[in-house]
Amino acid sequence: MNARLADKIATLTFWVGALIVILILGSMIAYLLYHGGKYISWDFLTKPAQAIRAGGGIGPQIFNSFYLLFLSMLITVPIGVLGGIYLAEYAGNNKLTEAIRLCIETLNSLPSIVVGLFGLLVFVNMTGWGYSLISGALALTVINLPLMVRFTEEAIRGVPASLREASLNLGANHWQTILRVVLPSAFPGLVSGAIITSGRVFGEAAALLFTAGMSSPALDFSQWNIFHPASPLNPFRPAETLAVHIWKVNTEGLIPDLRRVADGSAAVLILVVLGFNMAARWLGSKIHRRMTGT
Amino acid sequence: MTQSKISVKNLNMYYGDFHALKNVNLEVEANQVTALIGPSGCGKSTFLRVLNRMNDLIEGVKVEGSVLLDGCDIYRPEEDVVNLRKRIGMVFQRPNPFPMSVYDNIAYGPRIHGIKDKRKLDEIVEKSLRAAVIWDEVQDRLYKSAIGLSGGQQQRICIARLLAVEPEVLLMDEPTSALDPLATMKIEELIQALKKEYTIIIVTHNMQQAARVSDVTAFFLTGDLLEYGKTDTIFTKPTDKRTEDYITGRFG
Ligand SMILES: Nc1ncnc2c1ncn2[C@@H]1O[C@H](COP(=O)(O)OP(=O)(O)OP(=O)(O)O)[C@@H](O)[C@H]1O
Ligand SMILES: [Mg+2]
């Protein structure tokens, strides 16, 4: 009787907890979409921003966000995956491993504004690149790397030991086993890890203010020579992202339709992040099903 | 006297402080089936894993004594463990096919060992699947995932996968414990057929199975090898009272 009552109370507590979380998140998303959703239009999504006049869009900012994301993932994923493989497969229980883990934890809990200032010193000034996509991408890599390493390590540790043993039993060496059995089995986890990390980066502003910069040159979307200053693909040009744009418009915006741009951008941002997370789940389970053939 | 295929001498094995195998001495002859029996936790799986150094993967494991394969100690420092595992392969208690197609499962080993020629691989895959008596059931679905097969089929895929690398010794850890009687019978027939070419060591909890398939039986009790000899003798005139109790089910 007592045990059953305790069970009921525990269940109720968990339900209430979950409900509170859902309510807070749900109302935030609803609030942003309600205030910003009505401003989203094709024009808004494609036109360039205005400095003082009304009617600006967020086209280049959206492009910059995605391109920056792509550049940073290009650096983050290979390094992160290699690091995760090392920690899961090769690192012993020793001082070095402990030190590495401590570094990763610390890096992970670093406020992003600190990463931004570090980026300003190293990626912007020391390299002489100035505010640029590449500096921003490197700053984002600093933020992302710990997460990617951890996701990879978890995905690899999740691969059943029986598969590993089966491979070793056939006379495969450690590296062959990792490459042909462990990584393919961990692949769905790696993909969702990469996408979830992407979503986090997409909303990042503080680390980018002083690395990728707060402005975009006039972009010529027909210029595909990546070294041309007006080329959207030039990694050495400054690039204001959507999140940075929201921050800038809200803090120092001079445009008369400030609310429209800020709220509309926020709605777009949250939709994209939501999309990322849903894509991660969907893709992860789809790949898993395809690979296991079930 | 001819040389044994595997000769275990004064073997002691520890998981950290836990003494899991106590001074085991055992000779395994080529082309014979040796059955390992004994109550749960007595060290049968541990013993199998010592034979192809799968325990190297577990931290804190210590092995003393010697294990000779064709007269060569597999625990000597310069032993090539990867090559050793190619010569001594294991079939696990639970079928563990790779999440790949049937074909890729079987071709995995040969590919690892450098065979790339498609026709050669086709040949090996068919030969191995036939040898494991599973060819008829999967020949139409070679390129579909092996995960979709039944437990008994998966286990024979695992055996075929092992045969494809042509090991000399097959270690089988309760290969039929997850299978129904029909699938079990097929595996037992398979073992009888395979012993012409391979040396087989099989762990089983099923006394009838040990009696049916093995030539030699070894009885383990809490890390000790209590008794071993011809299966007929062990099952009809065991010398140790505990062996008799265990075999007749009067144990504990
Ligand atoms: N990785 C390990 N670390 C520590 N102790 C272990 C480990 N693996 C097995 N043991 C211990 O070693 C002893 C022998 O285990 P083993 O798995 O060899 O038994 P078994 O005879 O195969 O039993 P079963 O018939 O249940 O499979 C057991 O007491 C077990 O608890
Ligand atoms: Mg066992």
Side-chain angles (χ1 to χ4, degrees), chain A residues 170-193:
Chain A
L170 296 168
N173 62 32
H174 193 178
W175 174 238
Q176 289 166 326
T177 301
I178 293 175
L179 204 62
R180 298 186 187 216
V181 173
V182 175
L183 279 184
S185 301
F187 192 68
L190 296 186
V191 172
S192 12

Side-chain angles (χ1 to χ4, degrees), chain B residues 5-248:
Chain B
K5 185 71 189 169
I6 296 177
S7 151
V8 177
K9 293 195 175 116
N10 304 327
L11 177 79
N12 282 285
M13 193 278 199
Y14 306 81
Y15 290 111
D17 295 334
F18 180 70
H19 198 171
L21 293 173
K22 298 166 192 159
N23 203 34
V24 173
N25 287 283
L26 183 68
E27 304 285 321
V28 177
E29 303 302 330
N31 302 92
Q32 288 208 333
V33 178
T34 303
L36 307 183
I37 60 172
S40 193
C42 66
K44 306 180 295 293
S45 300
T46 301
F47 182 70
L48 274 197
R49 294 167 64 92
V50 163
L51 297 183
N52 72 346
R53 294 189 56 176
M54 280 312 273
N55 285 320
D56 288 15
L57 306 175
I58 302 170
E59 239 165 286
V61 163
K62 198 167 80 202
V63 177
E64 290 165 356
S66 60
V67 178
L68 308 182
L69 173 64
D70 290 331
C72 250
D73 190 353
I74 64 169
Y75 278 90
R76 69 193 197 283
E78 68 272 22
E79 174 71 23
D80 176 356
V81 180
V82 171
N83 189 49
L84 168 72
R85 295 199 185 117
K86 184 171 176 279
R87 295 175 64 193
I88 305 188
M90 192 179 310
V91 176
F92 296 84
Q93 180 167 359
R94 281 172 188 283
N96 55 354
F98 298 124
M100 316 169 178
S101 72
V102 171
Y103 185 97
D104 289 338
N105 260 282
I106 312 301
Y108 182 88
R111 278 183 179 140
I112 287 281
H113 301 299
I115 297 176
K116 293 205 183 68
D117 182 45
K118 172 81 172 118
R119 252 188 305 152
K120 186 102 209 303
L121 283 174
D122 287 350
E123 212 174 277
I124 294 175
V125 168
E126 178 169 349
K127 191 171 142 229
S128 310
L129 287 170
R130 281 192 191 282
V133 208
I134 179 82
W135 173 254
D136 291 340
E137 288 156 73
V138 297
Q139 58 171 323
D140 301 326
R141 44 158 306 163
L142 285 180
Y143 300 98
K144 294 213 185 100
S145 172
I147 305 292
L149 297 169
S150 78
Q153 290 172 327
Q154 286 186 12
Q155 193 62 298
R156 276 175 289 153
I157 293 288
C158 292
I159 295 175
R161 179 176 68 182
L162 198 54
L163 299 183
V165 299
E166 302 184 329
E168 297 160 32
V169 181
L170 303 182
L171 308 175
M172 299 182 156
D173 196 351
E174 302 179 44
T176 61
S177 66
L179 308 182
D180 69 27
L182 195 68
T184 300
M185 204 182 77
K186 286 195 174 168
I187 303 256
E188 286 182 10
E189 284 169 1
L190 178 57
I191 291 170
Q192 289 303 331
L194 289 176
K195 87 175 196 191
K196 291 191 197 75
E197 286 178 62
Y198 303 88
T199 304
I200 298 174
I201 305 179
I202 179 173
V203 170
T204 178
H205 279 279
N206 180 330
M207 292 310 110
Q208 284 83 32
Q209 183 170 66
R212 278 194 302 262
V213 302
S214 70
D215 304 299
V216 175
T217 297
F219 176 61
F220 281 80
L221 190 63
T222 57
D224 286 305
L225 173 59
L226 270 198
E227 186 167 356
Y228 88 96
K230 287 219 172 326
T231 300
D232 295 341
T233 322
I234 295 268
F235 275 83
T236 50
K237 298 187 283 291
T239 46
D240 198 294
K241 179 83 172 62
R242 289 167 292 182
T243 313
E244 187 182 346
D245 285 350
Y246 181 74
I247 289 172
T248 52

